[in-house]
Amino acid sequence: MANVVEVVTKSILKIGQDDPRRVIHSMKVGLAVTLVSLFYYFRSIYQDLGTTALWAVLTVVVVFEFSVGATLGKGLNRTMATLIGGVLAVGVHGLATQCGHIAEPFLISIFVFFQASLSTYARFCPKIKARYDYAFLIFILTFSFISISGFRVRDIIDLARDRWATILIGVFGSLLVSILVFPVWAGQDLHNLIANNLHKLAISLDGYGNTYFKIKENDATHEIDTPKLQTYKNVFNTKGAEETLANFAKWEPSHGCFRYKHPWKQYLKLGALSRECAYKIDALDERLKVNIKVNENDHVHKFRAICNRMTVEASKTLKEQASALKSMTRTRTRTRTRTRTSSCKVYVAKSKEEMKSLQDLLKSTTLWKDNEDQLLHVISATTIISILTDIVTCTEKIANCT
Amino acid sequence: MANVVEVVTKSILKIGQDDPRRVIHSMKVGLAVTLVSLFYYFRSIYQDLGTTALWAVLTVVVVFEFSVGATLGKGLNRTMATLIGGVLAVGVHGLATQCGHIAEPFLISIFVFFQASLSTYARFCPKIKARYDYAFLIFILTFSFISISGFRVRDIIDLARDRWATILIGVFGSLLVSILVFPVWAGQDLHNLIANNLHKLAISLDGYGNTYFKIKENDATHEIDTPKLQTYKNVFNTKGAEETLANFAKWEPSHGCFRYKHPWKQYLKLGALSRECAYKIDALDERLKVNIKVNENDHVHKFRAICNRMTVEASKTLKEQASALKSMTRTRTRTRTRTRTSSCKVYVAKSKEEMKSLQDLLKSTTLWKDNEDQLLHVISATTIISILTDIVTCTEKIANCT
């Protein structure tokens, strides 16, 4: 029992330790809900809005998201959809009341049916789903709510207006807390995620260079640091996060080094390239895991040395790109980024040189001609070369992308 | 202008053509909203529930999802969270009223703040996020709504009860329409998605065999059918969809051949293996795109023939697995599936034989010993062999997984 409590406590604490902003966010939600609920306690506001004043609180609970972009996107979607849905519902209600009290529910039901069906159908459109899905949901909600209410409530325009006003209060309160209290910017998060991914790839490549290609002194075997080698695997699963963050970032106003309409799409391209690179490192990993015993000789040493330099250069390119990205937000010095990109190009050129000399080495060596049993090693070596070539080409693409 | 209308119309129609169930789903949402809204028109129900009757309509709009599993999951989350949130809020309100009318809002504000903060924090826990995220949202919503209402509304227990009853009506209505009118099962969708992915890989492999490895008769060049070859690329991006569907499927009751607690996790494993296979086909694609001119001779023919057979066997294995999966839902004959799996094993064994003979061929041939310029071809050929080996091993894993 004590064990279970310990495990649960640890996992609860871990959530906050992994990202302390989660603790702050939780308190921000509490603060925003409490702040907006104060409106309900003031007699003057309550007398104006009545029980609909509580919609402001509900809006905060539903709209308040982790990043400013997500909150802003949801808030704008909700406000606009409530306005349009409310206006249309008032119009439809006016039309239905013209037809008498008996026909009214039938007419409204027909309108509600078609409106709900068409809006639901529209939500399947990929472009709408990406940015306006929530707006369409709220549109159906508001339209149905106001138009059906009209059957029992007489002052339907007041109802629509109050609903919109309270939602506006809720959205405004959420945004205020979201932006003023330790704001979390989706754009900044996307930026960091991409830079960290590049860095992770570099760390893995470094690891492979050190573990497999470094010439061993005094016959010492290098330890295999599996967690370090496998860092690249983290890059596989960030596609969804990248797309979500890019979507949120589009809603965000200018902040720090990011202007409105910052080229967020470029980050998605970089993300795709890092994943491409990660899959190539995965292929390399699979090759290297098959540990073929090779007699150490000059050729093998030469092969190792060149492979090692290739991984080192590729890793440097990635590290430079990662730190160029990271520093952009702080230093803003374009020249610095430019020198870095050009030094990346030098690394890429060097890597290509190494590739060429590796092929030359294979051509000139007689190692695999004299001994047929060495064939498997040759197959293995050639595959490793071709994968390294791919990795270098991929890092070049990454260097050109930023 | 006419052009824009045409493009928009086409893209609207395409949504329904891609999956006609979308049209049905849209109408189901309209139907459910309209059906539940009828409650509001009946005087007897309205007299019992008052304006809270509209919560039923709002519940339908929010809870009705594409598949039965998603609707059921959201519905259960909402019902349970409203119940627990309501009961706790009534308790807290009772406590607060004991302290007098002036202290009441302060006490309630403190409770609301802590409740919202703690629940938001809990939503970060991965296990909760995956299955109960919506429940925690609704818990915050209901708790805040009922406890704050208590300050102005006297019969707070009635309010909590009515809210719960209307939400129950909404959920029940949604489920009824979702299950009775052309139900869409997330489990079936997941099943089909995985089977189709395996089939897509098989089609691509077939294409590569035909385009690159078939011996050309009368010097005819095979046409490169790029869309067919690239079918495997569709498999890359279904990870998110698979996880979402598996999550929904867990909520679904027994239906068709799927019992409650069907091993949905197994499908995720198969999905991961298909993606692994797709990335290997991608590596093959990259190799084959580099079109090296080779003098046609016996060795090259032999190499081609063996590669062709390897792709054919790998493709057959995948096709068998795909159709075994598909037929499971219809025939339920275990023996048939068993014969199929065993025939898959035969294909895998055959592929491995081919692999061995390919290596033997490389060993015995003198092609690349006499001519140093052929080295590049040897590098290319060995890489292709190793990738094909990987693909065959991967298909074997897939055959063993089901």
Side-chain angles (χ1 to χ4, degrees), chain B residues 157 217 242 274 393:
Chain B
I157 296 179
E217 279 161 26
E242 285 165 22
S274 349
T393 319

Side-chain angles (χ1 to χ4, degrees), chain A residues 12 54 121 149 152 287 390, chain B residues 12 54 121 149 287 390:
Chain A
I12 289 173
L54 270 176
Y121 188 76
S149 290
R152 302 267 176 208
R287 282 299 125 224
D390 285 351
Chain B
I12 290 173
L54 270 177
Y121 188 73
S149 289
R287 283 301 125 222
D390 285 351

Side-chain angles (χ1 to χ4, degrees), chain B residues 34 134 242 249 368:
Chain B
T34 317
Y134 188 62
E242 285 165 22
W368 43 283

Side-chain angles (χ1 to χ4, degrees), chain B residues 199-211:
Chain B
H199 197 74
K200 276 175 189 164
L201 295 180
I203 287 175
S204 273
L205 276 178
D206 264 354
Y208 286 106
N210 284 332
T211 315

Side-chain angles (χ1 to χ4, degrees), chain B residues 78-92:
Chain B
R78 193 176 171 96
T79 322
M80 293 311 294
T82 306
L83 183 65
I84 300 171
V87 169
L88 276 181
V90 169
V92 162

Side-chain angles (χ1 to χ4, degrees), chain B residues 130-142:
Chain B
R131 291 199 78 181
Y132 306 108
D133 191 55
Y134 188 62
F136 274 79
L137 182 79
I138 294 299
F139 175 73
I140 308 177
L141 207 89
T142 307

Side-chain angles (χ1 to χ4, degrees), chain B residues 106-123:
Chain B
F106 292 102
L107 264 177
I108 288 180
S109 291
I110 291 169
F111 275 119
V112 166
F113 174 80
F114 278 103
Q115 176 271 135
S117 300
L118 291 178
S119 303
T120 306
Y121 188 73
R123 288 174 74 191

Side-chain angles (χ1 to χ4, degrees), chain A residues 21-34:
Chain A
R21 297 179 304 172
R22 289 173 177 170
V23 181
I24 298 172
H25 170 72
S26 305
M27 289 165 73
K28 277 164 74 179
V29 173
L31 178 70
V33 172
T34 316

